[in-house]
Amino acid sequence: MQHFYAWSGNRIKKWGLVVIAALFCSIFLWVERDNAFSVFSTDKGPRALISSNTKSKDVAITFNISWGQEEVFPILESLKKNNVKATFFVSGEWAEKHPNILKEITESKHDLGMMGYRYKSYAKQDIAQVKKDLLYAREVFKKLGYEEMDLLRPPHGHFNKEVLTLAEDLGFKVVQWSINPEDYRNPGTQTIVDEIMKETSGGDIIVLHASDSVKQTNEALKTVLPGLKQKGYEFVSISEMISKTEAKSSAVK
């Protein structure tokens, strides 16, 4: 099974991404840009959203959580203080252990997506194992009271054509990102701030983390959230971004 790892370094340059994808599209996935979204695509088949293509000032800030329970609370507080709605992608295993935190996230009107059940790369597993993991995760979230879980971020951001096809067949919308300051490496608060503030533009999806391994993310948010607002950006959830983009795309047809 061929593997494809989503680029997860710094900001992916639009033209650079197209050039890189062109070099490898005969073997792996390729990048498609239509009127609505920038996506990783497989011959215009299964897709993974990386950003919105519409000319707007919307940005989506997302958080991955796979373990721990300490860092998420100050992050939720910072979001509340700045009146920002985010999207949290959590593993089913973490959700089972922390249903009260999950409840706080959703009651604060943040979007909720999943990262399967166990936080293990899908590109390193047999597709049958991936399907088993996704179906089990779906059942876990249903038991926790979350019936509509259609947003999926593959663990580690790793996927390939088989994974995308399976996810689509199961009714998931795969969501990646276009801005990644690699806060999980704890590179320094100012480094995280500079990367986001310098590289973010309208339609971007920012990936951050709220697991206990991150020690500088919340401090960076104290500058990033008001800073992006001051630049005129509006924070939206992934569901809002998809809804608004699809509506705008339909209107121009």
Side-chain angles (χ1 to χ4, degrees):
M1 181 172 63
Q2 292 176 331
H3 291 175
F4 177 84
Y5 294 88
W7 290 287
S8 59
N10 295 336
R11 163 93 170 153
I12 301 172
K13 301 297 183 182
K14 292 183 178 180
W15 288 108
L17 180 58
V18 173
V19 172
I20 293 172
L23 293 174
F24 293 97
C25 67
S26 62
I27 301 175
F28 297 120
L29 308 182
W30 60 289
V31 174
E32 172 193 349
R33 287 182 173 274
D34 54 24
N35 290 329
F37 298 112
S38 297
V39 298
F40 286 112
S41 179
T42 57
D43 297 327
K44 295 187 178 181
R47 308 189 306 172
L49 174 66
I50 59 174
S51 68
S52 166
N53 252 353
T54 57
K55 295 180 180 179
S56 74
K57 298 289 283 187
D58 289 349
V59 295
I61 189 164
T62 68
F63 296 89
N64 294 352
I65 311 178
S66 57
W67 71 279
Q69 59 180 352
E70 301 299 327
E71 293 298 323
V72 64
F73 291 110
I75 286 173
L76 285 170
E77 187 60 33
S78 291
L79 293 171
K80 180 180 179 180
K81 182 178 179 180
N82 288 277
N83 193 28
V84 168
K85 299 306 176 189
T87 303
F88 287 81
F89 289 91
V90 305
S91 68
E93 190 172 29
W94 181 88
E96 277 186 323
K97 295 176 181 177
H98 306 288
N100 291 336
I101 302 178
L102 209 63
K103 184 178 179 181
E104 184 167 342
I105 289 171
T106 55
E107 287 186 347
S108 297
K109 306 302 181 184
H110 298 298
D111 244 7
L112 185 64
M114 73 159 72
M115 294 192 293
Y117 183 73
R118 296 191 185 281
Y119 195 72
K120 181 180 178 181
S121 173
Y122 282 170
K124 296 181 179 180
Q125 298 182 59
D126 181 88
I127 197 64
Q129 292 176 301
V130 175
K131 183 175 182 179
K132 182 178 180 180
D133 184 83
L134 285 172
L135 292 177
Y136 185 64
R138 178 173 276 170
E139 287 303 311
V140 166
F141 282 104
K142 281 184 178 180
K143 289 179 180 179
L144 291 172
Y146 303 95
E147 296 282 341
E148 303 297 327
M149 291 287 288
D150 62 346
L151 299 179
L152 171 67
R153 176 166 285 166
H156 302 286
H158 296 178
F159 63 88
N160 52 35
K161 183 176 181 179
E162 286 183 294
V163 172
L164 278 184
T165 301
L166 172 64
E168 184 175 276
D169 289 345
L170 294 177
F172 290 107
K173 296 175 182 177
V174 178
V175 181
Q176 291 295 94
W177 55 79
S178 51
I179 301 290
N180 181 7
E182 298 187 345
D183 62 321
Y184 61 90
R185 296 182 184 274
N186 294 308
T189 299
Q190 194 58 47
T191 298
I192 298 170
V193 170
D194 290 345
E195 181 65 28
I196 296 175
M197 295 302 296
K198 178 183 177 182
E199 301 295 345
T200 299
S201 60
D204 275 326
I205 297 174
I206 303 168
V207 61
L208 292 169
H209 298 75
S211 291
D212 282 359
S213 56
V214 297
K215 304 301 180 183
Q216 301 155 350
T217 301
N218 185 58
E219 195 63 30
L221 288 176
K222 295 176 182 179
T223 299
V224 166
L225 298 181
L228 288 178
K229 281 192 172 185
Q230 191 171 19
K231 284 189 172 185
Y233 292 109
E234 179 181 349
F235 290 97
V236 297
S237 67
I238 292 297
S239 293
E240 288 175 312
M241 177 175 279
I242 292 173
S243 178
K244 292 171 70 173
T245 306
E246 288 179 342
K248 188 170 291 187
S249 178
S250 299
V252 298
K253 288 183 179 180

